[in-house]
Amino acid sequence: MRVTTADFIRNFGTLADRALAEPLTITKNGRDRLVVVSAAEYERLKRRDRQAIAAAEVPDANAALIASAEVPAGQEQLDAELTDWRP
């Protein structure tokens, strides 16, 4: 559902309840500005960003990209963090 900022302010209670069931896009000057989602949906989306998978499950194409990655110049101090590292 898409509503203007003014409509959202006028109908906050009703629209906030509706956002519990589906994302609510709030527009300003005809452009999407904000999206309101339920707290449960927000938490689900946050967890999705932090999914961990076993190394054996990484697709070969992604593993090749990781293997060929290089540390950007100016980040050499990160090497010191690996000194004496043990799993």
Side-chain angles (χ1 to χ4, degrees):
M1 177 176 202
R2 184 173 265 102
V3 298
T4 65
T5 301
D7 287 341
F8 183 72
I9 292 168
R10 272 194 303 274
N11 302 299
F12 174 79
T14 302
L15 293 172
D17 288 344
R18 182 128 186 216
L20 293 172
E22 66 177 301
L24 175 68
T25 301
I26 302 171
T27 64
K28 183 173 182 179
N29 299 324
R31 295 184 181 184
D32 293 352
R33 182 171 173 112
L34 300 168
V35 176
V36 179
V37 296
S38 69
E41 177 65 1
Y42 175 72
E43 289 300 322
R44 185 190 72 80
L45 291 169
K46 280 181 29 180
R47 279 192 311 274
R48 187 171 182 211
D49 283 346
R50 298 171 189 220
Q51 285 182 342
I53 61 172
E57 296 175 10
V58 174
D60 291 340
N62 290 359
L65 289 171
I66 293 168
S68 66
E70 295 183 16
V71 177
Q75 300 300 316
E76 295 79 11
Q77 78 280 1
L78 297 175
D79 290 337
E81 294 184 20
L82 296 176
T83 304
D84 299 325
W85 181 84
R86 286 180 176 52

